[in-house]
Amino acid sequence: MPLPLQGLSAIVTGAGRGLGRAEALELARLGAAVVVNDYGRPGRDGSGDASAGPAEEAAAEIRASGGTAFAHTGDVSDFAQARTLVESAVDAFGRLDILVNNAGILRDRMVFSMAEEEWDSVLRVHLKGHFNTTRFAAAHWRERSKRAGEPVFGRIVNTSSEAFLAGSAGQPNYAAAKGGIVGLTTSTALALGRYGVTANAICPRARTRMTEDVFAGIEQPSGGGLDPLAPEHVAPLVGYLASPAAAHVNGQLLVVHGGMVAVVERPRVAAKFDSKQDTFTYDELEAVLGPYYADRPAGETFAAAEVLGLKRG
Protein backbone atom coordinates (compact mmCIF):
# COMPACT_ATOMS: atom_id res chain seq x y z
CA MET A 1 0.00 0.00 0.00
CA PRO A 2 1.49 3.40 -0.95
CA LEU A 3 2.24 5.90 1.77
CA PRO A 4 -0.24 8.83 2.09
CA LEU A 5 2.25 11.40 0.78
CA GLN A 6 4.12 9.18 -1.65
CA GLY A 7 5.21 11.11 -4.73
CA LEU A 8 4.51 14.51 -3.15
CA SER A 9 7.00 17.22 -2.30
CA ALA A 10 6.99 19.54 0.69
CA ILE A 11 8.65 22.60 2.19
CA VAL A 12 8.81 22.95 5.97
CA THR A 13 10.15 26.25 7.30
CA GLY A 14 11.87 26.50 10.66
CA ALA A 15 12.49 22.77 10.34
CA GLY A 16 15.94 22.51 11.87
CA ARG A 17 14.66 22.22 15.42
CA GLY A 18 11.57 21.67 17.54
CA LEU A 19 8.16 21.56 15.92
CA GLY A 20 9.38 22.13 12.38
CA ARG A 21 11.87 19.30 12.63
CA ALA A 22 9.20 16.90 13.96
CA GLU A 23 6.87 17.96 11.14
CA ALA A 24 9.52 17.49 8.46
CA LEU A 25 10.34 14.02 9.78
CA GLU A 26 6.65 13.09 9.83
CA LEU A 27 6.04 14.26 6.26
CA ALA A 28 9.05 12.25 5.15
CA ARG A 29 7.83 9.21 7.08
CA LEU A 30 4.53 9.51 5.20
CA GLY A 31 6.40 9.49 1.89
CA ALA A 32 6.99 13.13 0.96
CA ALA A 33 10.25 14.51 -0.38
CA VAL A 34 11.10 17.42 1.91
CA VAL A 35 12.93 20.72 1.64
CA VAL A 36 14.12 21.42 5.19
CA ASN A 37 14.32 25.19 5.59
CA ASP A 38 15.98 26.82 8.58
CA TYR A 39 17.95 30.05 8.84
CA GLY A 40 19.87 28.46 11.67
CA ARG A 41 20.38 31.35 14.08
CA PRO A 42 20.90 29.94 17.58
CA GLY A 43 18.92 32.48 19.61
CA ARG A 44 15.17 32.05 19.89
CA ASP A 45 15.02 35.82 19.47
CA GLY A 46 16.65 35.48 16.07
CA SER A 47 20.08 36.50 17.33
CA GLY A 48 23.42 34.97 16.43
CA ASP A 49 25.02 33.98 13.17
CA ALA A 50 23.02 32.06 10.58
CA SER A 51 24.10 28.42 10.27
CA ALA A 52 23.38 25.59 7.88
CA GLY A 53 23.83 23.08 10.68
CA PRO A 54 20.24 22.61 11.95
CA ALA A 55 18.71 22.27 8.48
CA GLU A 56 21.50 20.00 7.26
CA GLU A 57 21.20 17.75 10.30
CA ALA A 58 17.42 17.35 9.94
CA ALA A 59 17.73 16.66 6.21
CA ALA A 60 20.48 14.10 6.88
CA GLU A 61 18.26 12.34 9.42
CA ILE A 62 15.51 12.02 6.82
CA ARG A 63 17.90 10.63 4.26
CA ALA A 64 19.35 8.19 6.81
CA SER A 65 15.83 6.84 7.31
CA GLY A 66 15.45 6.21 3.58
CA GLY A 67 13.65 9.44 2.72
CA THR A 68 14.43 12.25 0.30
CA ALA A 69 15.40 15.65 1.65
CA PHE A 70 17.74 18.57 1.21
CA ALA A 71 18.47 21.63 3.29
CA HIS A 72 17.71 25.26 2.47
CA THR A 73 19.08 27.94 4.77
CA GLY A 74 17.35 31.06 3.44
CA ASP A 75 15.53 33.64 5.56
CA VAL A 76 11.81 33.33 4.81
CA SER A 77 11.19 36.89 6.05
CA ASP A 78 13.13 38.03 2.98
CA PHE A 79 10.86 38.17 -0.08
CA ALA A 80 13.56 37.18 -2.57
CA GLN A 81 14.86 34.32 -0.43
CA ALA A 82 11.33 32.96 0.00
CA ARG A 83 10.99 32.96 -3.78
CA THR A 84 14.25 31.02 -4.05
CA LEU A 85 13.01 28.50 -1.48
CA VAL A 86 9.88 27.70 -3.49
CA GLU A 87 11.84 27.63 -6.74
CA SER A 88 14.37 25.22 -5.24
CA ALA A 89 11.60 22.72 -4.43
CA VAL A 90 10.12 23.01 -7.92
CA ASP A 91 13.54 22.64 -9.54
CA ALA A 92 14.42 19.60 -7.45
CA PHE A 93 11.11 17.73 -7.50
CA GLY A 94 9.33 19.07 -10.56
CA ARG A 95 6.63 20.75 -8.50
CA LEU A 96 5.65 21.79 -4.98
CA ASP A 97 2.69 20.10 -3.29
CA ILE A 98 2.87 21.00 0.42
CA LEU A 99 3.95 24.11 2.30
CA VAL A 100 4.25 24.05 6.09
CA ASN A 101 5.04 27.47 7.58
CA ASN A 102 6.59 27.19 11.00
CA ALA A 103 9.56 29.58 11.23
CA GLY A 104 9.41 32.12 14.04
CA ILE A 105 11.24 34.05 16.75
CA LEU A 106 10.34 35.64 20.09
CA ARG A 107 11.04 39.13 21.41
CA ASP A 108 8.91 39.21 24.56
CA ARG A 109 8.15 42.51 26.25
CA MET A 110 5.16 44.23 27.82
CA VAL A 111 3.40 46.56 25.39
CA PHE A 112 4.34 49.67 27.35
CA SER A 113 8.07 48.91 27.09
CA MET A 114 8.35 47.17 23.72
CA ALA A 115 10.79 48.69 21.25
CA GLU A 116 9.81 49.30 17.65
CA GLU A 117 12.43 46.80 16.44
CA GLU A 118 11.06 44.12 18.79
CA TRP A 119 7.63 44.57 17.26
CA ASP A 120 8.86 44.72 13.68
CA SER A 121 11.18 41.72 13.87
CA VAL A 122 8.53 39.33 15.22
CA LEU A 123 5.90 40.48 12.73
CA ARG A 124 8.48 40.19 9.94
CA VAL A 125 9.53 36.60 10.66
CA HIS A 126 6.13 35.19 11.62
CA LEU A 127 3.56 37.06 9.56
CA LYS A 128 5.61 38.32 6.63
CA GLY A 129 7.49 35.02 6.53
CA HIS A 130 4.19 33.14 6.20
CA PHE A 131 3.05 35.55 3.49
CA ASN A 132 6.29 35.37 1.50
CA THR A 133 6.33 31.61 1.06
CA THR A 134 2.55 31.49 0.55
CA ARG A 135 2.80 34.15 -2.15
CA PHE A 136 5.17 32.13 -4.32
CA ALA A 137 3.63 28.73 -3.61
CA ALA A 138 0.19 30.14 -4.49
CA ALA A 139 1.47 31.55 -7.78
CA HIS A 140 3.02 28.17 -8.60
CA TRP A 141 -0.26 26.32 -7.99
CA ARG A 142 -2.36 28.88 -9.86
CA GLU A 143 -0.07 28.66 -12.88
CA ARG A 144 -0.11 24.86 -12.83
CA SER A 145 -3.89 24.79 -12.53
CA LYS A 146 -4.38 27.20 -15.42
CA ARG A 147 -1.96 25.22 -17.57
CA ALA A 148 -3.72 21.93 -16.76
CA GLY A 149 -7.20 23.40 -17.09
CA GLU A 150 -8.24 21.79 -13.80
CA PRO A 151 -7.51 21.92 -10.07
CA VAL A 152 -4.13 20.68 -8.85
CA PHE A 153 -2.98 19.33 -5.49
CA GLY A 154 -1.77 21.92 -2.99
CA ARG A 155 -1.68 22.09 0.80
CA ILE A 156 -0.71 24.91 3.15
CA VAL A 157 -0.43 24.36 6.90
CA ASN A 158 0.29 27.54 8.86
CA THR A 159 1.33 27.89 12.50
CA SER A 160 -0.70 30.17 14.75
CA SER A 161 -0.77 30.03 18.54
CA GLU A 162 -2.97 29.96 21.61
CA ALA A 163 -1.45 33.36 22.39
CA PHE A 164 -3.80 34.66 19.69
CA LEU A 165 -6.81 32.82 21.13
CA ALA A 166 -6.42 33.55 24.83
CA GLY A 167 -4.07 36.52 24.92
CA SER A 168 -0.52 36.78 26.17
CA ALA A 169 0.34 39.84 28.25
CA GLY A 170 4.06 39.86 27.54
CA GLN A 171 3.79 39.01 23.85
CA PRO A 172 1.77 41.70 22.04
CA ASN A 173 3.95 41.31 18.93
CA TYR A 174 3.73 37.51 18.91
CA ALA A 175 -0.02 37.42 19.61
CA ALA A 176 -0.68 39.99 16.87
CA ALA A 177 1.45 38.06 14.38
CA LYS A 178 -0.31 34.80 15.19
CA GLY A 179 -3.72 36.44 14.82
CA GLY A 180 -2.62 37.84 11.48
CA ILE A 181 -1.60 34.36 10.38
CA VAL A 182 -5.16 33.14 10.96
CA GLY A 183 -6.48 35.96 8.81
CA LEU A 184 -3.93 35.17 6.12
CA THR A 185 -4.93 31.51 6.27
CA THR A 186 -8.66 32.06 5.84
CA SER A 187 -8.10 34.57 3.04
CA THR A 188 -5.74 32.17 1.28
CA ALA A 189 -8.21 29.31 1.68
CA LEU A 190 -10.90 31.34 -0.09
CA ALA A 191 -8.58 32.51 -2.85
CA LEU A 192 -7.01 29.16 -3.69
CA GLY A 193 -9.87 26.70 -3.21
CA ARG A 194 -10.79 26.89 -6.90
CA TYR A 195 -7.30 25.68 -7.81
CA GLY A 196 -7.48 22.59 -5.58
CA VAL A 197 -5.41 24.11 -2.77
CA THR A 198 -6.35 24.07 0.92
CA ALA A 199 -4.98 26.31 3.67
CA ASN A 200 -5.37 25.58 7.36
CA ALA A 201 -3.75 26.77 10.57
CA ILE A 202 -2.81 24.98 13.76
CA CYS A 203 -2.26 26.24 17.29
CA PRO A 204 0.28 23.77 18.68
CA ARG A 205 1.32 23.40 22.29
CA ALA A 206 4.75 21.81 22.54
CA ARG A 207 7.93 21.94 24.58
CA THR A 208 10.54 23.50 22.29
CA ARG A 209 13.33 26.06 22.42
CA MET A 210 10.66 28.74 21.80
CA THR A 211 8.51 27.69 24.78
CA GLU A 212 11.08 26.48 27.30
CA ASP A 213 10.11 29.13 29.88
CA VAL A 214 6.37 28.69 29.31
CA PHE A 215 6.44 25.01 30.27
CA ALA A 216 9.39 25.16 32.67
CA GLY A 217 7.18 24.16 35.62
CA ILE A 218 5.65 21.15 33.88
CA GLU A 219 7.77 18.07 34.48
CA GLN A 220 8.37 15.49 31.81
CA PRO A 221 7.06 11.99 32.60
CA SER A 222 9.39 9.54 34.28
CA GLY A 223 9.97 6.03 32.98
CA GLY A 224 10.67 7.02 29.40
CA GLY A 225 7.06 7.82 28.40
CA LEU A 226 6.40 10.35 25.68
CA ASP A 227 6.18 13.88 27.02
CA PRO A 228 2.58 15.16 26.60
CA LEU A 229 4.19 18.35 25.31
CA ALA A 230 6.46 16.60 22.80
CA PRO A 231 6.36 18.04 19.25
CA GLU A 232 5.66 14.48 18.04
CA HIS A 233 2.06 14.94 19.23
CA VAL A 234 1.62 17.82 16.77
CA ALA A 235 3.31 16.38 13.69
CA PRO A 236 0.65 13.75 12.80
CA LEU A 237 -2.02 16.46 12.40
CA VAL A 238 0.27 18.34 10.01
CA GLY A 239 0.77 15.12 8.06
CA TYR A 240 -2.98 14.59 7.83
CA LEU A 241 -3.74 18.16 6.76
CA ALA A 242 -1.05 17.84 4.09
CA SER A 243 -2.57 14.65 2.67
CA PRO A 244 -5.14 13.94 -0.04
CA ALA A 245 -7.48 12.70 2.72
CA ALA A 246 -7.89 16.29 3.98
CA ALA A 247 -9.19 17.72 0.71
CA HIS A 248 -12.43 18.76 2.44
CA VAL A 249 -10.65 20.58 5.29
CA ASN A 250 -10.07 24.20 4.31
CA GLY A 251 -9.83 27.50 6.15
CA GLN A 252 -9.83 25.79 9.54
CA LEU A 253 -8.07 26.52 12.84
CA LEU A 254 -7.18 23.55 15.04
CA VAL A 255 -5.57 23.41 18.48
CA VAL A 256 -3.32 20.39 18.98
CA HIS A 257 -1.22 18.98 21.81
CA GLY A 258 -0.69 15.82 23.84
CA GLY A 259 -3.05 13.54 21.94
CA MET A 260 -5.81 16.19 21.67
CA VAL A 261 -7.13 18.00 18.60
CA ALA A 262 -9.79 20.70 18.98
CA VAL A 263 -11.55 22.42 16.09
CA VAL A 264 -11.99 26.12 16.83
CA GLU A 265 -15.18 27.79 15.65
CA ARG A 266 -15.08 31.13 13.93
CA PRO A 267 -16.25 33.98 16.19
CA ARG A 268 -19.99 34.12 16.75
CA VAL A 269 -22.21 36.97 17.90
CA ALA A 270 -22.68 36.65 21.67
CA ALA A 271 -25.33 39.37 22.04
CA LYS A 272 -27.07 41.97 19.90
CA PHE A 273 -28.70 45.26 20.83
CA ASP A 274 -30.76 47.59 18.61
CA SER A 275 -31.13 51.31 19.05
CA LYS A 276 -34.63 52.62 19.72
CA GLN A 277 -33.98 55.64 17.49
CA ASP A 278 -31.94 56.43 14.38
CA THR A 279 -28.64 55.85 16.14
CA PHE A 280 -27.38 55.01 19.59
CA THR A 281 -26.81 57.69 22.19
CA TYR A 282 -24.13 57.46 24.86
CA ASP A 283 -26.77 56.94 27.57
CA GLU A 284 -28.51 54.17 25.63
CA LEU A 285 -25.24 52.31 25.03
CA GLU A 286 -24.43 52.52 28.73
CA ALA A 287 -27.94 51.23 29.51
CA VAL A 288 -27.53 48.09 27.39
CA LEU A 289 -23.79 47.37 27.39
CA GLY A 290 -23.10 48.38 30.99
CA PRO A 291 -25.28 45.65 32.58
CA TYR A 292 -24.26 43.09 29.94
CA TYR A 293 -20.57 43.34 30.76
CA ALA A 294 -21.05 43.93 34.46
CA ASP A 295 -22.63 40.47 34.77
CA ARG A 296 -19.81 38.70 32.94
CA PRO A 297 -16.16 38.07 33.79
CA ALA A 298 -13.66 40.02 31.75
CA GLY A 299 -12.75 38.17 28.57
CA GLU A 300 -15.81 35.93 28.52
CA THR A 301 -16.14 36.53 24.79
CA PHE A 302 -13.18 34.16 24.48
CA ALA A 303 -15.05 31.38 26.29
CA ALA A 304 -13.96 28.83 23.68
CA ALA A 305 -10.37 29.34 24.76
CA GLU A 306 -11.31 29.00 28.43
CA VAL A 307 -13.17 25.75 27.80
CA LEU A 308 -10.09 24.29 26.15
CA GLY A 309 -7.99 25.35 29.10
CA LEU A 310 -5.77 27.35 26.81
CA LYS A 311 -2.82 29.21 28.21
CA ARG A 312 -0.02 31.21 26.69
CA GLY A 313 1.80 29.15 24.08
Side-chain angles (χ1 to χ4, degrees):
M1 179 179 295
L3 294 170
L5 304 183
Q6 194 71 45
L8 302 179
S9 63
I11 290 171
V12 184
T13 71
R17 306 179 179 95
L19 270 173
R21 176 183 170 278
E23 293 163 353
L25 291 173
E26 177 69 5
L27 295 185
R29 189 188 69 80
L30 295 175
V34 182
V35 182
V36 178
N37 166 263
D38 200 294
Y39 199 32
R41 283 183 167 170
R44 69 174 188 170
D45 61 353
S47 62
D49 294 331
S51 169
E56 293 284 5
E57 289 169 11
E61 185 173 352
I62 290 172
R63 293 193 297 268
S65 299
T68 301
F70 70 88
H72 181 278
T73 56
D75 178 4
V76 295
S77 71
D78 182 278
F79 196 67
Q81 293 185 52
R83 180 202 298 266
T84 300
L85 171 59
V86 172
E87 289 176 347
S88 70
V90 175
D91 290 344
F93 306 127
R95 69 177 192 270
L96 174 66
D97 302 297
I98 300 160
L99 171 63
V100 179
N101 284 309
N102 178 74
I105 64 171
L106 292 178
R107 298 280 180 90
D108 292 356
R109 193 88 60 185
M110 298 298 286
V111 69
F112 43 76
S113 56
M114 178 165 286
E116 180 182 15
E117 193 276 333
E118 291 170 328
W119 173 272
D120 289 348
S121 62
V122 169
L123 270 289
R124 184 179 66 249
V125 176
H126 286 274
L127 185 52
K128 188 184 178 188
H130 272 60
F131 161 73
N132 286 346
T133 54
T134 297
R135 156 67 174 82
F136 295 110
H140 167 69
W141 287 319
R142 180 174 179 265
E143 180 183 350
R144 278 177 50 201
S145 177
K146 288 195 166 187
R147 191 166 58 242
E150 61 185 9
V152 296
F153 183 94
R155 298 285 185 269
I156 298 173
V157 182
N158 289 332
T159 306
S160 184
S161 170
E162 297 172 56
F164 150 69
L165 285 171
S168 185
Q171 296 181 305
N173 48 3
Y174 182 74
K178 292 305 188 181
I181 286 168
V182 174
L184 172 64
T185 302
T186 54
S187 176
T188 302
L190 289 172
L192 300 187
R194 70 179 69 181
Y195 304 115
V197 179
T198 67
N200 296 287
I202 62 170
C203 292
R205 187 188 301 182
R207 195 192 306 273
T208 69
R209 185 177 56 129
M210 292 273 287
T211 61
E212 57 190 4
D213 58 333
V214 177
F215 302 121
I218 303 177
E219 295 183 2
Q220 299 188 37
S222 58
L226 184 62
D227 183 358
L229 293 171
E232 287 75 17
H233 288 294
V234 176
L237 176 61
V238 174
Y240 169 73
L241 292 174
S243 74
H248 56 295
V249 184
N250 195 24
Q252 299 298 300
L253 176 64
L254 302 100
V255 175
V256 54
H257 62 85
M260 186 279 293
V261 174
V263 178
V264 179
E265 286 188 318
R266 296 193 181 191
R268 295 184 298 170
V269 175
K272 179 176 177 292
F273 305 99
D274 295 311
S275 173
K276 294 179 180 178
Q277 55 273 332
D278 288 342
T279 187
F280 275 106
T281 64
Y282 173 91
D283 290 338
E284 189 180 11
L285 285 170
E286 170 57 22
V288 294
L289 294 179
Y292 176 77
Y293 283 109
D295 293 339
R296 286 160 178 78
E300 193 186 44
T301 51
F302 293 95
E306 294 172 6
V307 169
L308 290 171
L310 307 184
K311 304 293 183 183
R312 174 188 168 201

